Amino acid sequence: MHHTVSKSALSVLLTVLLFAACLIPALAAEKARSVYEAWQIELDSVRMTAHRGYSDIAPENTLPAFRLAGEYGFWGAECDIQRTKDGRWILIHNDTVDKMTDGTGKVADMTYAELMELKVDSGNNIENYPNLKLATLEEYLDVCKEYGLHPIIEIKDNADPDTVHEVADILLAREEKDMFYVICFGREICLKMKTLAPEIPVYYLIGYEDVSQEDINFAVNNHLDGMDIHVYLPDDYVRAVVKSGLDVFVWTIDDFDNAERFYRLGVNAIT
């Protein structure tokens, strides 16, 4: 026996499905808001930084993710920048566009115009952001200024140190430059940036493998402003960085227990 479904029943079913599709991202955003607000209450003296923007609820390193970080009240918003073939600085983590866009190839081999032809097609709740484009460093700074966010700018360590002056020029030309922080794994880039823009804090970024007291010594002896350390580092190492007098950021924390741990250890900002 065959059962038929009336047009009215199908219409109701489609309406319910569309409502659910709209509701799920909203519920995820509300959960993210409540978690963030709880952390802020418990860790009220720690500066909270949104990793690649509020990338839990919008595609990473995009303008919507940074606007959401501002709307949710984050202190800062971290981003990654890569240089195009023709000297523009674009927000993207990987050195290729393959993961985040409908294109393929290395950022360094593409012009700004070529990159603007691509569409961001990956990331959390991407369905809410049709025709999303990669952002420039300048656009990101504009959003941070609009929301009072502190920009935390990671110059990827594959950058040519001889091009870092372009980033310094962009930052120094901004009236809100006292809000900026630059972070990098590359020692030469850190030193170059500190020489070019001594008024902008530069933090030496480290992972959790092959780290030592020598890394702390490098930052201290070269008058860098701080270190951005990995969540996996042991308490003794974190205490040594704090004791050195450097400002201390920590990345990437996704659970409250680790956030509280680093808060107790005396870090200044959590990403």
Side-chain angles (χ1 to χ4, degrees):
M1 179 177 180
H2 296 284
H3 297 280
T4 59
V5 180
S6 69
K7 288 184 178 180
S8 61
L10 280 173
S11 177
V12 170
L13 178 60
L14 286 172
T15 301
V16 169
L17 290 173
L18 286 170
F19 177 74
C22 294
L23 183 61
I24 289 170
L27 289 173
E30 188 56 37
K31 180 180 179 182
R33 182 184 296 275
S34 63
V35 169
Y36 172 72
E37 289 174 349
W39 283 30
Q40 281 288 77
I41 291 168
E42 293 295 325
L43 311 175
D44 59 355
S45 66
V46 173
R47 296 171 286 186
M48 305 292 286
T49 300
H51 187 225
R52 305 176 195 170
Y54 210 162
S55 53
D56 281 350
I57 53 177
E60 66 178 45
N61 277 318
T62 65
L63 297 183
F66 296 114
R67 291 193 183 100
L68 284 166
E71 290 170 7
Y72 280 43
F74 280 86
W75 171 83
E78 181 263 359
C79 76
D80 308 281
I81 59 172
Q82 306 265 1
R83 188 179 187 271
T84 69
K85 183 178 181 179
D86 53 348
R88 297 295 298 274
W89 291 84
I90 299 293
L91 272 62
I92 189 168
H93 179 270
N94 293 0
D95 62 357
T96 69
V97 300
D98 301 48
K99 175 188 172 184
M100 289 301 297
T101 78
D102 58 356
T104 186
K106 287 192 172 184
V107 176
D109 293 337
M110 305 176 77
T111 66
Y112 169 73
E114 289 169 337
L115 287 163
M116 289 303 102
E117 293 176 0
L118 305 179
K119 182 173 73 173
V120 176
D121 64 355
S122 178
N124 286 320
N125 295 322
I126 185 62
E127 65 277 5
N128 295 336
Y129 304 101
N131 303 313
L132 186 60
K133 300 293 184 180
L134 296 172
T136 64
L137 174 58
E138 293 90 341
E139 290 171 329
Y140 156 77
L141 294 175
D142 286 343
V143 170
C144 288
K145 181 179 179 181
E146 178 184 354
Y147 287 96
L149 288 164
H150 290 76
I152 317 296
I153 304 152
E154 181 182 344
I155 303 175
K156 304 307 290 184
D157 59 353
N158 61 354
D160 181 346
D162 289 336
T163 65
V164 172
H165 68 90
E166 298 167 350
V167 178
D169 289 344
I170 291 169
L171 300 185
L172 291 173
R174 309 278 301 203
E175 63 180 13
E176 75 279 19
K177 57 181 173 288
D178 60 337
M179 302 274 285
F180 301 161
Y181 295 80
V182 171
I183 61 176
C184 188
F185 284 103
R187 290 189 173 191
E188 189 176 353
I189 292 171
C190 286
L191 297 178
K192 196 93 168 183
M193 192 68 198
K194 198 60 195 170
T195 299
L196 292 166
E199 61 266 59
I200 294 176
V202 176
Y203 286 48
Y204 181 37
L205 188 56
I206 62 171
Y208 60 91
E209 296 179 339
D210 301 321
V211 297
S212 68
Q213 178 64 39
E214 195 273 332
D215 292 298
I216 302 173
N217 295 343
F218 165 77
V220 171
N221 294 340
N222 288 286
H223 309 290
L224 300 185
D225 301 275
M227 292 180 71
D228 197 348
I229 64 176
H230 196 275
V231 63
Y232 288 172
L233 288 172
D235 290 6
D236 287 348
Y237 193 88
V238 179
R239 291 190 188 98
V241 181
V242 172
K243 186 178 179 181
S244 74
L246 294 166
D247 207 26
V248 187
F249 290 3
V250 59
W251 64 282
T252 299
I253 292 181
D254 296 320
D255 64 278
F256 183 78
D257 287 344
N258 265 318
E260 186 175 33
R261 170 192 159 212
F262 280 92
Y263 169 72
R264 302 298 178 197
L265 288 168
V267 304
N268 305 104
I270 288 173
T271 299

